[in-house]
């Protein structure tokens, strides 16, 4: 049976990119195998964050998970920090990843290239080690993520091969599962940049008011010319909107483009906004209800217990394999 695991870090308010590239798809795995979806709160500490903001973001992600259709009876939903085995496995596995590999990670380079060495925390550098531990702790073979996280999953694969070569068949080889439509949604104000929750310019946040979402789409940066066509190189702005539309309607951006061959940019944008709001308004309503009811608290509590039970078995196996005394 498949084991599926993914997480989102509570670094900020979730964006439409997070929704399309990751969140929206988690529920589709529920009938394929055992699913573990967590809030990567330890990862959120890798860059400075206000404690109260971190707590509120974590609550929000729990509610978003439930609003997206994840069913706690089928999916184990939990907070990373409430399962100490993540940190314990990390303490072992960090010895099987190398400085050279970590330095090459795009996320590290993107986030730290403009920072002085004396300001870069060890945690952001070692990020992929904790992420590999998250995955390997549950024997996960499928990891649904957006395109930007594939490199980290690949590094986890290298680690597994290295570790198993040395100690035998202990760890499960994971594979990134990237959605076909919308694996990389771009910023609406600068379509050459990934839409990201830590960069508020040009992003649609899942908590934005519907009127604000519509306004942001209507003022999204478009390209020269007037024809709606899918051409990522020459028409990055329009292509991004076609991808967003396609993701909402479950069609490819090329198919979406066919529906708008005779449309003006303005009319096309109106339809994109309608499609996004058709999906997001009911999602926001579910989120609001869940947040107010407080039901997410018991979900997290039970989830952490289940996660600890599974994680402790694999942690023990690894501890034994590397030679830690367990008698
Ligand atoms: P940060 O800005 O703090 O780095 P982020 O917005 O990039 O955060 P993550 O927590 O790193 O978000 O990502 C959560 C999930 O959403 C991951 O699977 C990631 O690949 C996916 N994701 C993030 N941004 C996008 C995007 N623009 N398009 C598609 N998927 C995305
Ligand atoms: N790095 C991921 C969050 C994350 C994750 C994981 C995703 C932490 N651990 C394990 C999948 C599997 C991110 O930035 N989205």
């Amino acid at each position: 049976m498949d084991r599926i695991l993914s997480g989102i870090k509570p670094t900020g308010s979730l964006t439409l990119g997070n929704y399309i590239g990751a969140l929206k798809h988690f529920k589709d795995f529920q009938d394929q195998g055992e699913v573990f979806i967590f809030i990567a709160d330890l990862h959120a500490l890798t860059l400075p964050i206000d404690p109260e903001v971190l707590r509120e973001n974590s609550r929000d992600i729990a509610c978003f998970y439930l609003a997206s259709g994840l069913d706690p009876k089928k999916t184990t939903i939990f907070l990373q920090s409430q399962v100490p085995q993540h940190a314990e496995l990390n303490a072992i596995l960090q010895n099987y990843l190398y400085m050279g590999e970590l330095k090459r990670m795009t996320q590290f380079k993107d986030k730290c290239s403009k920072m002085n060495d004396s300001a870069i925390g060890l945690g952001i550098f070692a990020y992929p080690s904790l992420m590999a531990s998250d995955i390997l702790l549950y024997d996960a073979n499928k990891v649904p993520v957006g395109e930007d996280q594939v490199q980290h999953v690949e590094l986890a694969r290298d680690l597994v091969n290295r570790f198993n070569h040395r100690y035998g068949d202990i760890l499960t080889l994971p594979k990134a599962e990237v959605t076909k439509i919308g694996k990389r949604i771009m910023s609406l104000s600068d379509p050459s940049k990934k839409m990201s929750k830590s960069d508020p310019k040009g992003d649609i946040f899942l908590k934005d008011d519907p009127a604000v979402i519509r306004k942001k789409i209507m003022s999204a940066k478009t390209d020269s010319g007037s024809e709606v066509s899918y051409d990522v190189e020459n028409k990055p702005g329009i292509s991004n909107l076609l991808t967003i539309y396609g993701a909402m309607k479950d069609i490819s951006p090329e198919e979406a483009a066919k529906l708008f061959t005779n449309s003006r940019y303005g009319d096309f944008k109106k339809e994109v906004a309608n499609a996004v709001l058709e999906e997001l308004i009911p999602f926001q309503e579910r989120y609001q209800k869940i947040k107010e009811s407080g039901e997410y608290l018991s979900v997290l509590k039970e989830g952490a217990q289940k996660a600890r039970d599974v994680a402790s078995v694999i942690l023990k196996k690894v501890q034994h394999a590397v030679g830690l005394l367990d008698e």
Side-chain angles (χ1 to χ4, degrees):
M1 186 160 49
D2 282 332
R3 274 273 175 90
I4 299 112
L5 173 132
S6 195
I8 297 182
K9 53 184 189 306
T11 39
S13 203
L14 293 203
T15 68
L16 187 65
N18 298 134
Y19 180 79
I20 292 177
L23 179 59
K24 176 178 160 74
H25 305 284
F26 292 163
K27 66 171 183 316
D28 302 336
F29 290 90
Q30 287 186 134
D31 297 315
Q32 279 186 32
E34 250 181 293
V35 184
F36 295 84
I37 300 291
F38 70 102
I39 299 155
D41 53 353
L42 292 174
H43 277 103
L45 293 173
T46 53
L47 287 173
I49 185 163
D50 177 86
E52 204 36 63
V53 170
L54 173 56
R55 269 188 281 273
E56 189 57 11
N57 289 344
S58 296
R59 291 183 196 109
D60 269 349
I61 295 188
C63 298
F64 280 138
Y65 282 161
L66 293 169
S68 76
L70 286 177
D71 174 357
K73 288 195 202 76
K74 296 182 180 169
T75 295
T76 306
I77 301 172
F78 62 99
L79 272 160
Q80 183 186 31
S81 61
Q82 292 183 349
V83 183
Q85 287 84 355
H86 288 250
E88 289 184 65
L89 185 63
N90 184 40
I92 298 176
L93 293 186
Q94 65 186 356
N95 300 301
Y96 304 87
L97 286 174
Y98 301 115
M99 303 270 288
E101 298 176 308
L102 297 173
K103 268 189 207 154
R104 282 196 294 275
M105 292 293 111
T106 308
Q107 179 177 287
F108 174 69
K109 289 196 283 191
D110 282 355
K111 294 207 186 280
C112 301
S113 63
K114 290 190 197 88
M115 285 162 73
N116 195 301
D117 263 3
S118 59
I120 301 173
L122 187 56
I124 187 102
F125 184 64
Y127 187 108
S129 172
L130 181 57
M131 180 160 161
S133 306
D134 300 335
I135 298 169
L136 305 177
L137 200 48
Y138 298 88
D139 272 344
N141 58 328
K142 290 187 177 175
V143 184
V145 282
E147 193 179 43
D148 60 306
Q149 293 300 315
V150 172
Q151 196 183 30
H152 289 157
V153 181
E154 290 294 318
L155 191 58
R157 286 171 67 85
D158 293 344
L159 192 158
V160 168
N161 288 328
R162 199 170 288 159
F163 191 93
N164 285 355
H165 181 71
R166 185 148 163 200
Y167 299 106
D169 203 9
I170 306 285
L171 300 172
T172 299
L173 198 62
K175 193 168 173 297
E177 295 276 318
V178 180
T179 172
K180 282 200 190 72
I181 310 155
K183 59 185 186 219
R184 190 174 171 82
I185 300 296
M186 310 310 277
S187 156
L188 294 189
S189 61
D190 178 0
S192 69
K193 274 175 47 196
K194 187 189 90 150
M195 186 183 281
S196 155
K197 60 174 126 66
S198 53
D199 175 16
K201 281 191 275 45
D203 287 350
I204 292 181
F205 295 105
L206 299 183
K207 280 169 73 173
D208 276 346
D209 202 68
V212 172
I213 295 180
R214 185 175 291 282
K215 193 159 168 231
K216 285 182 177 174
I217 294 176
M218 293 310 292
S219 50
K221 187 163 187 271
T222 42
D223 318 292
S224 55
S226 58
E227 190 194 329
V228 176
S229 62
Y230 187 66
D231 176 349
V232 177
E233 208 151 286
N234 299 309
K235 284 182 170 274
I238 289 292
S239 300
N240 191 36
L241 291 173
L242 282 167
T243 304
I244 292 173
Y245 183 88
M248 294 297 122
K249 299 284 183 186
D250 234 347
I251 56 174
S252 70
E254 289 87 350
E255 281 175 290
K258 283 191 203 136
L259 303 174
F260 297 103
T261 38
N262 296 316
S263 305
R264 295 162 189 269
Y265 281 176
D267 295 331
F268 164 58
K269 282 175 163 178
K270 240 185 241 166
E271 289 307 316
V272 177
N274 287 344
V276 169
L277 290 176
E278 211 172 282
E279 186 154 332
L280 283 196
I281 290 175
F283 174 77
Q284 289 183 336
E285 286 167 359
R286 288 194 298 274
Y287 156 83
Q288 203 55 46
K289 258 200 193 147
I290 293 161
K291 187 92 190 270
E292 279 159 18
S293 77
E295 66 182 271
Y296 64 94
L297 292 167
S298 59
V299 169
L300 290 178
K301 199 167 171 210
E302 281 166 35
Q305 186 55 53
K306 276 197 251 169
R308 285 193 291 264
D309 290 346
V310 174
S312 61
V313 175
I314 292 141
L315 177 64
K316 277 207 181 87
K317 243 164 91 175
V318 172
Q319 287 170 328
H320 179 78
V322 299
L324 303 184
L325 204 56
D326 51 2
E327 56 216 18

